[in-house]
Amino acid sequence: MTGWEIDPGKWQITQGTRGNGDSDPVEATSTRTENFERSRSLDFTFAPHTTTVLELRLVEKGIPYWSRPDLGISADDVQVEGNRMKVTLHSLGAVDAPASKVVLRARDGKVIATANANALKAPLDLLPKTEVVSHTHPPNVDYKDGSVSIEITGKLPEITELNNRVQF
């Protein structure tokens, strides 16, 4: 299950099963606590031939989305010329984004190259805030099926991390 229109924070999740009727008691319950928010997922296993009942309760509020940075890249933001890669980072959040790293990884996750990116202002004036970061990787390196990603060095969580990675 993916959260989108949900308040960020720690959520208590109780899962159980119920027989055929709405008045049947919930049985075989289990409870866990998870960090849950927009674009994060929770895994559930549903028992066959019964109704699964889920109860989610916010037990600790997280940092509101309007108080978070957000950096993003897309495939259109990555340009490769020989052994030089240029990546355009976009600040999309509600607050300034801290310094970050752009990391090129091989298919096995091994780091091939990194580059530092400066802090970026939030686009509060509705004008794009970008930075082009480039790095040089070893010649003839195979990054096919690898990725390039943004890794923020600050402590504030981003609005979403789904826009932080481009897979090749």
Side-chain angles (χ1 to χ4, degrees):
M1 181 172 84
T2 304
W4 281 97
E5 297 299 322
I6 192 162
D7 290 334
K10 288 193 185 294
W11 287 80
Q12 183 181 57
I13 302 125
T14 302
Q15 179 175 352
T17 58
R18 176 178 288 156
N20 293 333
D22 287 342
S23 62
D24 290 348
V26 177
E27 299 174 340
T29 61
S30 63
T31 301
R32 61 186 172 153
T33 302
E34 300 270 352
N35 288 320
F36 190 43
E37 60 185 49
R38 177 180 297 167
S39 74
R40 288 237 176 118
S41 298
L42 296 174
D43 292 329
F44 294 101
T45 301
F46 295 94
H49 308 292
T50 188
T51 300
T52 298
V53 178
L54 299 171
E55 179 182 312
L56 283 77
R57 185 171 63 87
L58 182 61
V59 293
E60 183 181 317
K61 289 186 177 188
I63 297 170
Y65 302 118
W66 58 82
S67 297
R68 296 178 179 203
D70 191 25
L71 290 175
I73 57 173
S74 74
D76 292 339
D77 296 318
V78 180
Q79 297 177 345
V80 179
E81 298 167 0
N83 66 332
R84 188 168 190 82
M85 182 176 288
K86 292 180 184 179
V87 181
T88 303
L89 280 68
H90 301 264
S91 178
L92 307 165
V95 300
D96 297 348
S100 60
K101 289 189 181 291
V102 175
V103 182
L104 174 64
R105 287 190 170 81
R107 174 185 358 194
D108 62 4
K110 181 181 175 187
V111 174
I112 297 170
T114 63
N116 293 324
N118 296 313
L120 278 173
K121 293 285 188 190
L124 300 179
D125 57 3
L126 303 180
L127 296 174
K129 305 297 184 249
T130 62
E131 179 183 7
V132 177
V133 176
S134 63
H135 63 261
T136 304
H137 50 271
N140 302 320
V141 70
D142 182 15
Y143 58 85
K144 184 177 186 247
D145 296 325
S147 65
V148 64
S149 61
I150 306 168
E151 298 179 6
I152 285 187
T153 56
K155 294 184 181 187
L156 271 178
E158 290 188 77
I159 292 172
T160 181
E161 293 182 6
L162 291 179
N163 57 1
N164 285 18
R165 185 170 180 253
V166 171
Q167 184 81 31
F168 298 110

